[in-house]
Amino acid sequence: MEAREKIVIIGGGFAGLQFAKSLNNKRKKVIVIDKVNHHMFQPLFYQVACGRIEPSNISFPFRKIFQRSRNIQFRLTEVQQIIPEENKIVTAEAEFTYDKLVIATGCKTNFFGNAKMEHLTFGMKNTQEAIAIRNHVLLTFERLIIEKKRSDDGNWNIVIVGSGPTGVELAGAFAEMKKDILPRDYPHMNFSDLKIILISSTEMPLGVMSEEAQQKSEEYLKELGVIFMKGEMVTDYDGDKVFMKSGNTIPSNNVIWAAGVTGNIIDGLNPEIIIRNRFKTDRYNRILGYENIFAIGDISYMETPLYPAGHPQVANVAINQGKNLAKNILLNSGKEWKEYEYKDQGSLATIGKHRAVVDLPNFKFQGVLAWYFWMFLHLMLILSVRNKLAVFFNWMWSYINRDSSLRLIIIPNKKNNTEQ
């Protein structure tokens, strides 16, 4: 009997998970490797950070996802190096061989080489970072109410750097939290002095969307009381003040960095095929110079007629590249593989209750209808029925009561394992 081809997938984000699911119960031996044990629905991280939903509602354990699979295994470890000459990858605990390797490691927050900024500000690319933001912001108010510090010195400002969808959605959510929730939790604090500040290097928010969406989102931010600082470049942060190229400074203990992403590169491959921290691939997602190594999703840099500078790093690209590569690999030998090209299905963002912007290929709309459309689409994209219901219930409770009961401060215990 012919041995099954062994395919190793590094990363279980949108691209890696979709690729693995497309190979479920096929005549392939599949191993999914990830440094966390669950898939994360990243578009709703900002709601975890603001205490609107629990992280478990948008997290899906890989062993549960593949529980009934006959050919997919999961291993919890972090890949340190690829040795392409030996068809082998190296982790801290073990080595894995492969016939085909698929890299789907996605992206991490890009601090542009500023180590101090990386240490002192908060990114939001995984569950732990979203929980850390929630903890830190809530602890700020708990500390201030005990210390009885003045509220007008700006040290409790919430500063968000970056005006893409993540930054805009965070700003809107924190603005609603300031208005509807915090005054009830802390009735003796004056929240009129709390400022939600969105810093943008561009003149308008949501730079990748249409002009109508940009104008409307700026209008929504102003309605919610968000201070939108346009054309500003953050150069440094010392834990107390944000410094900008213009010379302006902002006092804050709560700075969230949403100003860009960079690929999670793994050592071992030819550095000449790395472009802007992404692996350059052909139209079949095969990394240039390697016959049996592929890259899909955010980590893949593919030049096509429609996207000569590479595809946007969005979920739709990742999902469809995973599907396309799986279909190609499952084809019988002799059949031509299908080249990948991204068909833009639109983009959307929400800026608080009844405020959202939607750009579809042939139709653009904003406001209440766009907000309902945003909610429906995200509910449909969440994996399990149980999680869909949990998120829907939390949203409805928040919609009716303008409140949530999820503002838990959960900080892991630190055990001293030093031998006495």
Side-chain angles (χ1 to χ4, degrees):
M1 187 175 179
E2 185 182 354
R4 291 186 299 171
E5 184 177 46
K6 184 179 181 182
I7 301 174
V8 173
I9 307 167
I10 308 175
F14 285 116
L17 181 62
Q18 187 59 60
F19 177 74
K21 290 173 70 176
S22 298
L23 297 181
N24 187 35
N25 293 330
K26 306 295 184 183
R27 283 200 52 77
K28 306 288 182 184
K29 182 179 180 181
V30 180
I31 298 177
V32 178
I33 298 176
D34 204 304
K35 60 184 178 181
V36 297
N37 78 330
H38 56 278
H39 169 76
M40 301 163 284
F41 189 72
Q42 294 186 13
L44 293 182
F45 275 162
Y46 85 94
Q47 296 213 355
V48 174
C50 298
R52 295 198 174 186
I53 57 178
E54 284 290 2
S56 60
N57 292 340
I58 57 168
S59 303
F60 311 90
F62 290 117
R63 294 198 179 278
K64 176 64 177 176
I65 294 172
F66 302 126
Q67 200 172 60
R68 298 185 180 182
S69 176
R70 298 190 301 272
N71 69 317
I72 300 176
Q73 302 177 38
F74 171 72
R75 296 293 180 265
L76 177 64
T77 186
E78 185 170 3
V79 176
Q80 297 174 332
Q81 185 184 13
I82 302 169
I83 306 178
E85 301 82 12
E86 302 178 28
N87 286 348
K88 183 170 70 176
I89 61 173
V90 179
T91 74
E93 293 81 16
E95 296 179 350
F96 297 83
T97 59
Y98 59 83
D99 295 314
K100 285 188 173 70
L101 176 64
V102 177
I103 304 173
T105 48
C107 284
K108 59 186 176 182
T109 304
N110 190 357
F111 293 95
F112 302 98
N114 191 320
K116 189 163 63 170
M117 203 100 71
E118 183 174 358
H119 177 67
L120 294 173
T121 67
F122 292 89
M124 203 174 62
K125 290 300 291 180
N126 57 51
T127 308
Q128 296 92 323
E129 289 179 336
I131 294 172
I133 292 171
R134 183 179 74 182
N135 287 342
H136 187 79
V137 170
L138 294 176
L139 280 170
T140 296
F141 302 124
E142 295 295 343
R143 188 180 69 251
L144 290 175
I145 201 168
I146 292 174
E147 294 175 354
K148 294 184 170 60
K149 284 188 177 180
R150 288 171 51 202
S151 63
D152 60 355
D153 60 4
N155 62 352
W156 57 351
N157 290 334
I158 297 176
V159 176
I160 302 158
V161 184
S163 61
T166 298
V168 167
E169 290 176 342
L170 262 177
F174 275 124
E176 290 190 326
M177 192 176 181
K178 169 191 171 181
K179 177 185 174 185
D180 299 324
I181 295 175
L182 293 177
R184 284 186 267 178
D185 281 0
Y186 306 92
H188 302 295
M189 296 178 75
N190 179 15
F191 284 96
S192 61
D193 294 322
L194 168 62
K195 295 180 176 63
I196 313 297
I197 302 168
L198 181 63
I199 302 176
S200 173
S201 60
T202 58
E203 291 299 313
M204 297 292 286
L206 299 177
V208 297
M209 295 187 69
S210 67
E211 187 176 336
E212 299 97 311
Q214 293 175 18
Q215 291 174 351
K216 203 66 178 177
S217 62
E218 184 177 20
E219 179 185 319
Y220 289 150
L221 289 168
K222 288 180 180 177
E223 287 176 4
L224 289 168
V226 174
I227 298 172
F228 179 60
M229 299 184 67
K230 59 180 69 176
E232 288 280 12
M233 187 78 69
V234 174
T235 57
D236 206 359
Y237 177 58
D238 63 4
D240 294 311
K241 280 186 180 179
V242 179
F243 299 88
M244 286 167 279
K245 193 173 182 179
S246 64
N248 292 328
T249 62
I250 304 171
S252 176
N253 292 325
N254 305 287
V255 178
I256 302 167
W257 191 266
V261 294
T262 185
N264 286 308
I265 293 292
I266 300 174
D267 291 336
L269 301 186
N270 180 6
E272 293 181 4
I273 50 89
I274 298 175
I275 297 180
R276 296 201 293 273
N277 248 31
R278 301 164 77 180
F279 292 115
K280 188 170 184 179
T281 72
D282 62 17
R283 295 289 300 277
Y284 309 108
N285 285 100
R286 183 185 287 109
I287 295 178
L288 299 187
Y290 300 92
E291 282 299 313
N292 62 339
I293 304 179
F294 304 82
I296 55 176
D298 291 348
I299 199 67
S300 167
Y301 177 86
M302 179 193 295
E303 295 176 352
T304 69
L306 292 181
Y307 294 90
H311 292 103
Q313 292 165 296
V314 295
N316 276 333
V317 172
I319 290 169
N320 288 303
Q321 283 189 350
K323 288 180 179 178
N324 189 70
L325 179 58
K327 288 178 182 176
N328 284 336
I329 285 177
L330 290 172
L331 285 174
N332 295 325
S333 59
K335 289 191 176 181
E336 289 189 9
W337 281 22
K338 180 182 177 183
E339 292 184 338
Y340 177 77
E341 181 61 278
Y342 175 52
K343 295 179 181 177
D344 188 1
Q345 298 174 350
S347 52
L348 65 169
T350 181
I351 311 101
K353 183 178 179 180
H354 290 170
R355 298 176 177 92
V357 291
V358 175
D359 285 352
L360 298 179
N362 300 310
F363 185 46
K364 299 175 178 64
F365 57 107
Q366 304 88 34
V368 178
L369 179 60
W371 185 70
Y372 282 115
F373 181 84
W374 179 94
M375 283 203 305
F376 174 78
L377 182 64
H378 281 74
L379 276 177
M380 291 302 101
L381 290 173
I382 291 174
L383 285 183
S384 73
V385 174
R386 183 192 71 82
N387 290 64
K388 291 181 199 289
L389 292 173
V391 171
F392 179 75
F393 176 80
N394 284 325
W395 283 352
M396 289 303 99
W397 183 263
S398 178
Y399 181 86
I400 296 167
N401 295 285
R402 296 189 176 186
D403 200 353
S404 80
S405 58
L406 305 176
R407 293 180 298 282
L408 304 179
I409 300 173
I410 303 174
I411 300 175
N413 289 332
K414 293 182 179 179
K415 293 186 178 181
N416 186 359
N417 295 322
T418 305
E419 292 184 5
Q420 301 297 322

